[in-house]
Coordinates of all heavy atoms in Angstrom, one line a residue:
M248 N 83.1 70.8 60.4 CA 83.7 71.2 61.7 C 85.2 71.1 61.5 O 85.8 70.2 61.0 CB 83.3 70.1 62.8 CG 83.9 70.3 64.1 SD 83.1 69.1 65.3 CE 84.1 69.5 66.7
D249 N 85.9 72.2 62.0 CA 87.4 72.2 61.9 C 88.0 71.3 62.9 O 87.5 71.1 64.0 CB 87.9 73.7 62.2 CG 87.5 74.6 61.1 OD1 87.4 74.2 60.0 OD2 87.4 75.8 61.4
M250 N 89.1 70.6 62.5 CA 89.7 69.7 63.3 C 90.9 70.4 64.0 O 91.5 71.3 63.4 CB 90.3 68.5 62.4 CG 89.2 67.7 61.7 SD 89.9 66.6 60.5 CE 91.2 65.8 61.3
L251 N 91.2 70.1 65.2 CA 92.4 70.5 65.9 C 93.6 69.7 65.5 O 93.5 68.5 65.6 CB 92.2 70.5 67.4 CG 93.4 71.0 68.3 CD1 93.7 72.4 68.0 CD2 93.1 70.7 69.7
H252 N 94.6 70.3 65.0 CA 95.8 69.6 64.6 C 96.9 69.9 65.5 O 97.2 71.0 65.8 CB 96.1 69.9 63.1 CG 95.2 69.3 62.1 ND1 95.3 68.1 61.6 CD2 94.0 69.7 61.6 CE1 94.3 67.8 60.8 NE2 93.5 68.8 60.8
R253 N 97.7 68.8 65.8 CA 98.9 68.9 66.6 C 100.1 68.4 65.7 O 99.9 67.5 64.9 CB 98.9 68.0 67.8 CG 97.7 68.3 68.8 CD 97.8 69.6 69.5 NE 99.0 69.6 70.4 CZ 99.2 70.7 71.1 NH1 98.6 71.8 70.9 NH2 100.3 70.7 71.8
C254 N 101.2 69.1 65.8 CA 102.4 68.8 64.9 C 102.9 67.4 65.3 O 103.1 67.1 66.5 CB 103.4 69.8 65.2 SG 104.9 69.5 64.2
S255 N 103.1 66.5 64.3 CA 103.7 65.2 64.6 C 105.2 65.2 64.9 O 105.8 64.3 65.3 CB 103.4 64.3 63.4 OG 104.1 64.8 62.3
K256 N 105.8 66.4 64.7 CA 107.2 66.6 65.0 C 107.5 67.1 66.4 O 108.4 66.6 67.1 CB 107.9 67.5 63.9 CG 107.7 67.0 62.5 CD 108.5 65.7 62.3 CE 108.3 65.3 60.8 NZ 108.8 63.9 60.6
C257 N 106.7 68.1 66.8 CA 107.0 68.8 68.1 C 105.8 68.9 69.0 O 105.9 69.5 70.0 CB 107.7 70.1 67.8 SG 106.6 71.4 67.2
D258 N 104.7 68.5 68.6 CA 103.4 68.4 69.3 C 102.9 69.8 69.6 O 102.1 70.0 70.6 CB 103.6 67.6 70.6 CG 102.2 67.2 71.2 OD1 101.3 66.9 70.4 OD2 102.1 67.3 72.4
S259 N 103.2 70.8 68.8 CA 102.6 72.2 68.9 C 101.4 72.3 68.1 O 101.0 71.4 67.3 CB 103.6 73.2 68.5 OG 104.8 73.2 69.3
D260 N 100.7 73.4 68.3 CA 99.4 73.6 67.5 C 99.8 73.9 66.1 O 100.8 74.5 65.7 CB 98.7 74.9 68.0 CG 98.1 74.7 69.4 OD1 97.7 73.5 69.7 OD2 97.9 75.7 70.1
M261 N 98.9 73.5 65.2 CA 99.0 73.8 63.7 C 97.8 74.6 63.3 O 96.8 74.5 63.8 CB 99.1 72.4 62.9 CG 100.3 71.6 63.3 SD 100.4 70.1 62.3 CE 101.3 70.7 60.9
E262 N 98.1 75.4 62.2 CA 97.0 76.2 61.7 C 96.8 75.8 60.2 O 97.7 75.5 59.5 CB 97.3 77.7 61.8 CG 98.5 78.2 61.0 CD 98.7 79.7 61.2 OE1 97.7 80.5 61.2 OE2 99.9 80.1 61.3
E263 N 95.5 75.9 59.8 CA 95.2 75.5 58.4 C 95.6 76.7 57.5 O 95.4 77.8 57.8 CB 93.7 75.2 58.3 CG 93.4 74.7 56.9 CD 91.9 74.3 56.7 OE1 91.2 74.2 57.8 OE2 91.5 74.0 55.6
G264 N 96.1 76.3 56.3 CA 96.3 77.3 55.2 C 96.3 76.5 53.9 O 95.6 75.5 53.8
F265 N 97.0 77.0 52.9 CA 97.0 76.3 51.6 C 98.2 76.6 50.9 O 98.9 77.7 51.1 CB 95.8 76.6 50.8 CG 95.6 78.0 50.4 CD1 96.0 78.5 49.1 CD2 95.0 78.9 51.2 CE1 95.9 79.8 48.8 CE2 94.8 80.2 50.8 CZ 95.2 80.7 49.6
L266 N 98.7 75.7 50.0 CA 99.8 75.9 49.1 C 99.2 76.5 47.8 O 98.2 76.0 47.3 CB 100.5 74.6 48.9 CG 101.2 73.9 50.1 CD1 101.7 72.6 49.8 CD2 102.2 74.8 50.7
L267 N 99.9 77.5 47.3 CA 99.4 78.2 46.1 C 100.1 77.7 44.8 O 101.3 77.5 44.8 CB 99.7 79.7 46.3 CG 99.0 80.6 45.4 CD1 97.4 80.5 45.6 CD2 99.4 82.0 45.7
E268 N 99.3 77.4 43.8 CA 99.9 77.0 42.5 C 99.8 78.2 41.6 O 98.8 78.9 41.5 CB 99.1 75.9 41.9 CG 99.2 74.6 42.6 CD 100.6 74.0 42.3 OE1 101.2 74.1 41.3 OE2 101.1 73.3 43.3
K269 N 100.9 78.5 40.9 CA 100.9 79.6 39.9 C 101.1 79.0 38.5 O 102.2 78.4 38.3 CB 102.0 80.6 40.2 CG 102.0 81.8 39.3 CD 103.1 82.8 39.7 CE 103.1 83.9 38.7 NZ 104.2 84.8 39.0
G270 N 100.1 79.1 37.7 CA 100.2 78.5 36.3 C 101.0 79.4 35.4 O 101.4 80.6 35.8
D271 N 101.3 79.0 34.2 CA 102.1 79.8 33.2 C 101.4 81.1 32.9 O 102.0 82.1 32.6 CB 102.3 79.0 31.9 CG 103.2 77.8 32.2 OD1 104.0 77.8 33.1 OD2 103.1 76.8 31.4
S272 N 100.0 81.1 32.9 CA 99.3 82.4 32.6 C 99.2 83.3 33.8 O 98.6 84.4 33.7 CB 97.9 82.0 32.1 OG 97.2 81.3 33.2
G273 N 99.9 82.9 34.9 CA 99.8 83.8 36.1 C 98.6 83.6 37.0 O 98.5 84.3 38.0
V274 N 97.7 82.6 36.6 CA 96.6 82.4 37.4 C 96.9 81.7 38.7 O 97.7 80.7 38.7 CB 95.5 81.5 36.6 CG1 94.4 81.1 37.4 CG2 95.1 82.2 35.4
L275 N 96.4 82.1 39.8 CA 96.7 81.6 41.1 C 95.6 80.7 41.6 O 94.4 81.0 41.4 CB 96.9 82.6 42.2 CG 98.0 83.6 41.8 CD1 98.1 84.7 42.9 CD2 99.4 83.0 41.7
S276 N 95.9 79.5 42.1 CA 94.8 78.6 42.6 C 95.4 77.7 43.7 O 96.6 77.4 43.7 CB 94.3 77.8 41.5 OG 95.3 76.9 40.9
P277 N 94.5 77.2 44.6 CA 95.0 76.2 45.6 C 95.3 74.9 45.0 O 94.8 74.6 43.9 CB 93.9 76.1 46.6 CG 92.7 76.7 45.9 CD 93.2 77.6 44.8
Q278 N 96.2 74.1 45.6 CA 96.5 72.8 45.0 C 95.4 71.8 45.1 O 94.5 71.9 45.9 CB 97.7 72.2 45.9 CG 99.0 72.8 45.6 CD 100.1 72.1 46.3 OE1 100.0 71.5 47.3 NE2 101.3 72.1 45.6
A279 N 95.5 70.8 44.2 CA 94.6 69.6 44.2 C 95.4 68.4 44.0 O 96.5 68.5 43.4 CB 93.5 69.8 43.1
W280 N 94.9 67.3 44.5 CA 95.6 66.0 44.3 C 94.7 65.2 43.2 O 93.5 65.2 43.3 CB 95.6 65.2 45.6 CG 96.5 63.9 45.5 CD1 97.8 63.8 45.6 CD2 95.9 62.6 45.2 NE1 98.2 62.5 45.4 CE2 97.0 61.7 45.2 CE3 94.7 62.1 44.9 CZ2 96.9 60.4 44.9 CZ3 94.5 60.8 44.7 CH2 95.6 59.9 44.7
V281 N 95.4 64.6 42.2 CA 94.7 64.0 41.1 C 95.1 62.5 41.1 O 96.3 62.2 41.2 CB 95.0 64.7 39.8 CG1 94.3 64.0 38.6 CG2 94.7 66.2 39.8
T282 N 94.1 61.6 40.9 CA 94.4 60.2 40.8 C 95.2 59.9 39.5 O 95.1 60.5 38.5 CB 93.1 59.4 40.8 OG1 92.4 59.8 39.6 CG2 92.3 59.5 42.0
G283 N 96.0 58.8 39.6 CA 96.8 58.3 38.5 C 98.0 59.1 38.2 O 98.4 60.0 38.8
K284 N 98.7 58.7 37.1 CA 99.9 59.3 36.6 C 99.6 60.5 35.7 O 98.5 60.4 35.0 CB 100.8 58.3 35.8 CG 101.3 57.2 36.7 CD 102.1 56.2 35.9 CE 102.6 55.1 36.7 NZ 103.5 54.1 36.0
P285 N 100.4 61.5 35.6 CA 100.2 62.6 34.8 C 100.3 62.2 33.3 O 101.2 61.4 32.9 CB 101.2 63.7 35.1 CG 102.3 62.9 35.8 CD 101.6 61.7 36.4
E286 N 99.3 62.7 32.5 CA 99.3 62.5 31.0 C 99.4 63.8 30.3 O 98.7 64.7 30.7 CB 98.1 61.7 30.6 CG 98.0 60.3 31.3 CD 96.6 59.7 31.0 OE1 95.9 60.2 30.1 OE2 96.3 58.7 31.7
K287 N 100.3 63.9 29.4 CA 100.5 65.2 28.7 C 99.2 65.6 27.9 O 98.5 64.7 27.3 CB 101.6 65.1 27.7 CG 103.0 65.1 28.5 CD 104.1 65.1 27.5 CE 105.5 65.1 28.2 NZ 106.6 65.2 27.4
S288 N 99.0 66.9 27.8 CA 97.9 67.4 27.0 C 98.4 68.6 26.2 O 99.1 69.5 26.8 CB 96.7 67.9 28.0 OG 95.8 68.7 27.2
F289 N 98.1 68.7 25.0 CA 98.6 69.8 24.1 C 98.1 71.1 24.6 O 98.9 72.1 24.6 CB 98.2 69.5 22.7 CG 98.6 70.6 21.7 CD1 100.0 70.7 21.3 CD2 97.8 71.6 21.3 CE1 100.4 71.7 20.5 CE2 98.2 72.6 20.4 CZ 99.5 72.6 20.0
F290 N 96.9 71.2 25.0 CA 96.3 72.5 25.3 C 96.5 73.0 26.8 O 96.7 74.1 27.1 CB 94.8 72.5 25.1 CG 94.4 72.5 23.6 CD1 94.0 71.2 23.1 CD2 94.7 73.5 22.7 CE1 93.7 71.1 21.7 CE2 94.4 73.4 21.4 CZ 93.9 72.2 20.9
S291 N 96.4 72.0 27.7 CA 96.5 72.4 29.2 C 97.8 72.0 29.9 O 98.0 72.2 31.0 CB 95.3 71.9 29.9 OG 95.3 70.5 29.9
G292 N 98.7 71.2 29.1 CA 99.9 70.7 29.8 C 99.7 69.4 30.4 O 100.5 68.5 30.1
V293 N 98.7 69.2 31.2 CA 98.4 67.9 31.8 C 96.9 67.6 31.6 O 96.1 68.5 31.9 CB 98.8 67.9 33.3 CG1 98.3 66.6 34.0 CG2 100.2 68.1 33.5
S294 N 96.6 66.4 31.2 CA 95.2 66.0 31.1 C 94.6 65.4 32.4 O 95.3 64.7 33.1 CB 95.0 64.9 30.0 OG 93.7 64.5 29.9
I295 N 93.4 65.9 32.8 CA 92.8 65.4 34.0 C 91.4 64.7 33.6 O 90.7 64.4 34.5 CB 92.5 66.5 35.0 CG1 91.7 67.6 34.4 CG2 93.8 67.0 35.6 CD1 91.2 68.7 35.5
K296 N 91.2 64.5 32.3 CA 90.0 63.9 31.9 C 89.8 62.5 32.4 O 90.7 61.7 32.4 CB 90.0 63.8 30.3 CG 88.7 63.2 29.8 CD 88.8 63.2 28.3 CE 87.4 62.7 27.7 NZ 87.5 62.7 26.3
G297 N 88.6 62.2 33.1 CA 88.3 61.0 33.6 C 89.0 60.7 35.0 O 88.9 59.6 35.5
K298 N 89.7 61.7 35.6 CA 90.4 61.5 36.9 C 89.7 62.2 38.0 O 89.0 63.2 37.8 CB 91.8 62.0 36.7 CG 92.6 61.2 35.7 CD 94.0 61.7 35.7 CE 94.8 61.0 34.5 NZ 96.1 60.6 34.9
Q299 N 89.8 61.6 39.2 CA 89.2 62.2 40.3 C 90.2 63.3 40.9 O 91.4 63.0 40.9 CB 88.8 61.2 41.4 CG 87.7 60.3 41.0 CD 87.3 59.4 42.2 OE1 88.2 58.9 42.9 NE2 86.0 59.2 42.4
M300 N 89.7 64.4 41.4 CA 90.5 65.4 42.0 C 90.0 65.7 43.4 O 88.8 65.6 43.7 CB 90.4 66.8 41.2 CG 91.0 66.7 39.8 SD 90.7 68.2 38.9 CE 91.3 69.5 40.0
Y301 N 91.0 65.9 44.3 CA 90.7 66.0 45.7 C 91.3 67.4 46.2 O 92.4 67.7 45.8 CB 91.3 65.0 46.6 CG 90.8 63.6 46.3 CD1 91.2 62.8 45.2 CD2 89.9 63.0 47.2 CE1 90.7 61.6 45.0 CE2 89.3 61.8 46.9 CZ 89.7 61.0 45.8 OH 89.2 59.8 45.6
D302 N 90.5 68.1 47.0 CA 91.0 69.3 47.6 C 92.1 68.9 48.5 O 92.0 67.9 49.2 CB 89.9 70.1 48.4 CG 88.8 70.6 47.5 OD1 89.1 71.0 46.4 OD2 87.7 70.7 48.0
V303 N 93.2 69.8 48.6 CA 94.3 69.5 49.5 C 94.2 70.5 50.6 O 94.2 71.7 50.4 CB 95.6 69.6 48.8 CG1 96.8 69.5 49.8 CG2 95.8 68.5 47.8
K304 N 94.2 70.1 51.9 CA 94.2 70.9 53.1 C 95.6 70.8 53.6 O 96.1 69.7 53.8 CB 93.2 70.5 54.1 CG 91.8 70.8 53.7 CD 90.9 70.7 54.9 CE 89.5 71.2 54.5 NZ 88.7 71.6 55.6
T305 N 96.2 71.9 53.9 CA 97.6 71.9 54.4 C 97.6 72.6 55.8 O 97.0 73.6 55.9 CB 98.6 72.5 53.4 OG1 98.5 71.8 52.2 CG2 100.0 72.6 54.0
F306 N 98.4 72.1 56.7 CA 98.5 72.7 58.0 C 100.0 73.0 58.3 O 100.9 72.3 57.9 CB 98.0 71.7 59.1 CG 96.5 71.4 58.9 CD1 96.0 70.5 58.1 CD2 95.6 72.2 59.7 CE1 94.7 70.3 57.9 CE2 94.2 72.0 59.5 CZ 93.8 71.0 58.6
R307 N 100.2 74.1 59.0 CA 101.6 74.6 59.3 C 101.7 74.7 60.8 O 100.9 75.2 61.5 CB 101.9 75.9 58.7 CG 103.3 76.4 59.0 CD 103.5 77.9 58.5 NE 104.7 78.4 58.9 CZ 105.0 78.9 60.1 NH1 104.0 79.0 61.0 NH2 106.2 79.3 60.4
C308 N 102.8 74.1 61.3 CA 103.1 74.1 62.7 C 103.5 75.6 63.1 O 104.4 76.2 62.5 CB 104.2 73.2 63.1 SG 104.7 73.2 64.8
N309 N 102.9 76.1 64.1 CA 103.2 77.4 64.6 C 104.6 77.5 65.3 O 105.2 78.6 65.3 CB 102.2 77.9 65.7 CG 100.8 78.1 65.0 OD1 100.7 78.5 63.9 ND2 99.8 77.7 65.7
A310 N 105.2 76.4 65.7 CA 106.4 76.4 66.4 C 107.6 76.1 65.4 O 108.6 76.8 65.4 CB 106.5 75.4 67.5
C311 N 107.5 75.0 64.7 CA 108.7 74.5 63.9 C 108.5 74.7 62.4 O 109.5 74.5 61.7 CB 109.0 73.1 64.2 SG 107.9 71.9 63.6
G312 N 107.3 75.1 62.0 CA 107.1 75.3 60.5 C 106.8 74.1 59.7 O 106.7 74.2 58.5
Y313 N 106.7 73.0 60.3 CA 106.5 71.7 59.6 C 105.1 71.8 58.9 O 104.2 72.3 59.4 CB 106.5 70.5 60.5 CG 106.2 69.2 59.9 CD1 107.1 68.5 59.1 CD2 105.0 68.5 60.2 CE1 106.8 67.3 58.5 CE2 104.7 67.3 59.6 CZ 105.6 66.7 58.8 OH 105.3 65.5 58.2
L314 N 105.0 71.3 57.6 CA 103.8 71.3 56.8 C 103.3 69.9 56.7 O 104.1 69.0 56.5 CB 104.1 71.9 55.4 CG 104.5 73.3 55.3 CD1 104.7 73.6 53.8 CD2 103.4 74.2 55.9
E315 N 102.0 69.7 56.8 CA 101.3 68.4 56.7 C 100.1 68.6 55.8 O 99.3 69.5 56.0 CB 100.9 68.0 58.1 CG 100.6 66.5 58.3 CD 100.5 66.2 59.8 OE1 99.5 66.5 60.4 OE2 101.5 65.6 60.2
S316 N 99.9 67.8 54.8 CA 98.9 68.0 53.8 C 98.0 66.7 53.7 O 98.5 65.6 53.9 CB 99.4 68.3 52.4 OG 100.1 69.5 52.4
Y317 N 96.7 67.0 53.5 CA 95.7 65.9 53.4 C 94.9 66.1 52.1 O 94.5 67.2 51.9 CB 94.8 65.9 54.6 CG 95.5 65.6 55.9 CD1 96.0 66.7 56.6 CD2 95.6 64.4 56.4 CE1 96.7 66.5 57.8 CE2 96.3 64.2 57.6 CZ 96.8 65.2 58.3 OH 97.5 65.1 59.5
A318 N 94.6 65.1 51.4 CA 93.7 65.1 50.2 C 92.3 64.6 50.7 O 92.1 63.5 50.9 CB 94.2 64.2 49.1
L319 N 91.4 65.6 50.9 CA 90.1 65.3 51.5 C 89.0 65.6 50.5 O 88.9 66.7 50.0 CB 89.9 66.1 52.8 CG 91.0 65.9 53.9 CD1 90.7 67.0 55.0 CD2 90.9 64.5 54.4
G320 N 88.1 64.7 50.3 CA 86.9 64.9 49.5 C 87.2 65.2 48.1 O 88.1 65.8 47.7
V321 N 86.3 64.7 47.3 CA 86.4 64.9 45.8 C 85.9 66.2 45.4 O 84.9 66.7 45.9 CB 85.5 63.7 45.1 CG1 85.6 64.0 43.6 CG2 86.0 62.4 45.5
Q322 N 86.6 66.9 44.5 CA 86.2 68.3 44.1 C 85.0 68.2 43.2 O 84.8 67.2 42.4 CB 87.3 68.9 43.3 CG 88.3 69.5 44.1 CD 89.3 70.4 43.2 OE1 89.4 70.3 42.0 NE2 90.1 71.2 43.9

């Protein structure tokens, strides 16, 4: 069920969207939040082995443009 979000800055309606990540190879993907500190990986740049990843939901205020993000649910 979609949640109704109100802006914490100006109390206007917010709409759901997502922040886009562009990797070195030009691949586009939505953001994810990963537990722990980043660890370097020779092949992928950052290792995520053994770490939990969460989908990030981002909301934008229709009036002032404020962005608010939440890390919800494990991927």
Side-chain angles (χ1 to χ4, degrees):
M248 181 176 173
D249 289 334
M250 297 169 49
L251 177 63
H252 287 270
R253 303 291 296 174
C254 180
S255 62
K256 302 295 180 190
C257 71
D258 199 37
S259 296
D260 289 333
M261 298 184 86
E262 65 178 321
E263 184 175 350
F265 61 96
L266 298 172
L267 196 61
E268 290 289 324
K269 182 178 178 185
D271 291 335
S272 62
V274 176
L275 302 176
S276 62
Q278 285 187 329
W280 187 87
V281 182
T282 60
K284 294 181 180 181
E286 298 173 14
K287 290 184 180 182
S288 168
F289 179 76
F290 294 105
S291 63
V293 176
S294 174
I295 57 171
K296 184 177 180 180
K298 298 184 182 217
Q299 290 184 319
M300 292 178 48
Y301 295 82
D302 291 329
V303 174
K304 288 193 176 203
T305 301
F306 296 84
R307 180 187 174 276
C308 177
N309 293 325
C311 72
Y313 179 72
L314 297 177
E315 199 166 77
S316 295
Y317 299 88
L319 302 172
V321 178
Q322 281 188 342

